[in-house]
Amino acid sequence: MGVELVLWVIVILIGGLTGLNGNELISLNETEMFHLDFFKAPAANDPLMVGLTLVQSAGAKGAVCLDGTLPGYHLHRGSGSGVNSWLINLEGGGWCNNVRACVYRKASRRGSSRYMEKEIPFTGILSSNPQENPDFFNWNRVKLRYCDGASFTGDSQDKSAELEFRGQPIWLAAMDDLMLKGMHNAHQALLSGCSAGGLASILHCDEFRDLFPGKTTVKCLSDGGLFLDATDVSGGRTLRNFYQGVVDMQGVEENLPHICTREHDPISCFFPQNLIAGIKTPLFILNAAYDSCSSDFNMNQIQASLAPPSADPAGYWRECTQDHAKCSPAQLQFLQGFRNQMLNAVKDFGRSSKNGLFINSCFAHCQSERHDTWFGDDSPVIGNKAIATAVGDWYFDRATVKAIDCAYPCDKTCHNLVFK
C-alpha cells in the first residue's frame, strides 16, 4: 500500500502574517517543508547530524547570500573505500522573482546564513548508514546551502533594496573551497540536488565535470527538478512568467549554458526540458510524474505551474491539488496530459546510454533526500527496484536504468503527499 503523508497547513494565517499575496508566497520557500515543521517525513534511525561550515573566502569574491552574509555547507568526511569519492548535494528551496519576495526571503535561511541551522540531519542519499544508503554512505558528502533564490545562477545586485544576487559566485566559491579540502583528489564525484537544487544540478552539471581531470568518474543527479514550461489550467504560462522575473532580476542569463542560449531565449534556458539534450556529462533524472510539494504557498509543478490560484480563481482545482484522490475524471485526464509532456521531454534524453531515468507515477516531490523514499523498507519501486538501487546501478554502470512507471493509479508503492 502507498503511504500518504498528511500535512496541516494554514496558508491564510501565513499570508496574513507576512503580508504577501499567493503568487509571492509560492516563490519563497519550496523546501521549507523540511525545516518549518509543516512536513514531517518518517525519520531515519538516529540520523547523523552535521555541522555548518561558512565559506570564509567567499566574501572577498563577492559570493554572498541575499543579505550579504557568507554562504555555507555541511561536510561529512568519507572513510574507507569512499575517502576519495565526493557527493555534492545542492539544497532546494524555490526562487524569488521580485524585490518584495527576495527581501522577505533574505530574513530566512533561504537568504541568509544568519538563520541557517547550525546542524542538519544527513538522511537519504546523504546518510552514513549503509543499510539506508548502500552505495554512497562512506563518501565525502556535502550539503551546499541555498541562499540566493535563483538556483545558484545569478550575479547582480539591487543596492536600493540591499539585495545581493550572487548564486553563481557562491557556487564557484564553494567548489573552490571544497577542492582545497580534498575534492581535487576525487576518483568519483556525483552532483545531486532536489527541486530548485535539482534544477541547479542540471544547470551546473558540465561545470562540475570540468572541475576534475578526465580520469575522474563524474555524473549528475536531478531529483524533482524537471520543471516544465507547461500551460496551466487557464491556458496561461504561470511558471514561465515567474521564471522571467527570476532570470531578469538576478542577472542569470550570462551564467546559463551557452549551448542552450545560442538557440533559445534565456527564460527557456531556465527550463530543464531545453537543457538536458545539451548536457555532455552523464545525468540521471529522478522525478514524480505528478510532481507535488508541501502546500499552496510552495512552488511545485501541479499547484504552482498547472493550477495556481491566479489560474483557478474559483478554486475548482483546490481539492484536487491537495489530494489526488479528490480529482475528477476530467482533472485526472489533464494531469495525465502533464505526465505525457514530461515523458515527451525526456524521450530523446533517455535514448543516450550514458543517461538514467526513474519517473514514477506518484504525487510526490524530492525522493532522494528522505529515508522513506530513498531506501526504506517500503520505499517506492519500479519493477521491484528502489530509487537508491536504480541510482547506484546507473552510477556504477551495473545496469542501464530507464525506469518509467505505468500511469496513475497503477503504482501502489508511492508515498503520495496529501495536504489538508
Side-chain angles (χ1 to χ4, degrees), residues 106-285:
K106 77 173 183 177
S108 76
R109 59 178 61 81
R110 296 290 180 258
S112 172
S113 58
R114 185 177 292 115
Y115 303 102
M116 291 177 184
E117 305 91 332
K118 302 308 178 187
E119 289 186 326
I120 62 171
F122 269 24
T123 59
I125 196 171
L126 294 174
S127 173
S128 61
N129 186 339
Q131 302 302 315
E132 300 173 357
N133 188 26
D135 284 312
F136 307 107
F137 72 96
N138 65 346
W139 284 31
N140 297 278
R141 300 171 324 286
V142 180
K143 167 77 80 172
L144 178 58
R145 301 305 296 267
Y146 179 37
C147 64
D148 65 278
S151 289
F152 299 95
T153 58
D155 193 6
S156 65
Q157 64 180 172
D158 187 322
K159 291 184 179 180
S160 62
E162 299 182 332
L163 288 169
E164 297 289 338
F165 305 122
R166 304 298 182 184
Q168 181 72 18
I170 288 173
W171 156 261
L172 294 172
M175 294 304 104
D176 287 346
D177 199 61
L178 292 169
M179 293 296 274
L180 291 174
K181 291 186 176 180
M183 194 167 72
H184 68 284
N185 292 320
H187 298 161
Q188 302 176 116
L190 175 63
L191 178 67
S192 73
C194 154
S195 200
L199 170 59
S201 69
I202 295 173
L203 289 164
H204 291 293
C205 185
D206 283 342
E207 290 179 60
F208 188 64
R209 162 72 269 183
D210 291 341
L211 294 174
F212 303 95
K215 64 182 180 180
T216 305
T217 300
V218 181
K219 299 186 181 184
C220 306
L221 163 66
S222 173
D223 175 13
L226 191 61
F227 293 92
L228 298 182
D229 189 4
T231 302
D232 63 37
V233 295
S234 70
R237 288 289 179 85
T238 300
L239 191 53
R240 168 169 278 272
N241 294 336
F242 182 90
Y243 275 176
Q244 182 170 359
V246 177
V247 170
D248 291 348
M249 183 179 65
Q250 297 216 29
V252 168
E253 179 176 357
E254 292 303 313
N255 300 311
L256 295 170
H258 292 166
I259 193 171
C260 181
T261 55
R262 285 197 293 264
E263 298 182 8
H264 301 282
D265 63 87
I267 294 89
S268 294
C269 292
F270 208 64
F271 282 99
Q273 67 200 74
N274 301 314
L275 296 167
I276 55 178
I279 303 297
K280 299 176 182 177
T281 308
L283 172 64
F284 192 102
I285 291 179

Side-chain angles (χ1 to χ4, degrees), residues 5 33 82 107 109 123 164 176 220 241 261 273 295 297 326 332 346 364 384 415:
L5 306 176
M33 60 181 179
R109 59 178 61 81
T123 59
E164 297 289 338
D176 287 346
C220 306
N241 294 336
T261 55
Q273 67 200 74
S295 70
F297 60 91
K326 296 181 179 179
L332 286 175
V346 300
N384 295 320
H415 290 213

Side-chain angles (χ1 to χ4, degrees), residues 319-340:
E319 286 193 345
C320 176
T321 60
Q322 292 179 334
D323 184 350
H324 62 280
K326 296 181 179 179
C327 295
S328 70
Q331 289 171 329
L332 286 175
Q333 185 176 3
F334 185 88
L335 295 179
Q336 298 295 14
F338 176 75
R339 172 182 178 270
N340 291 338

Side-chain angles (χ1 to χ4, degrees), residues 9-30 95-98 100-101 104 238-239 242 295-300 303-305 307-313 318:
V9 184
I10 310 175
V11 179
I12 295 175
L13 174 61
I14 294 171
L17 290 174
T18 63
L20 298 175
N21 63 41
N23 287 334
E24 289 173 319
L25 280 168
I26 63 172
S27 75
L28 297 177
N29 297 319
E30 174 189 53
W95 310 269
C96 59
N97 69 328
N98 59 49
R100 191 181 187 196
Y104 180 87
T238 300
L239 191 53
F242 182 90
S295 70
D296 287 347
F297 60 91
N298 289 317
M299 178 64 70
N300 68 89
Q303 292 171 319
S305 177
S310 60
D312 183 35
R318 184 170 179 80

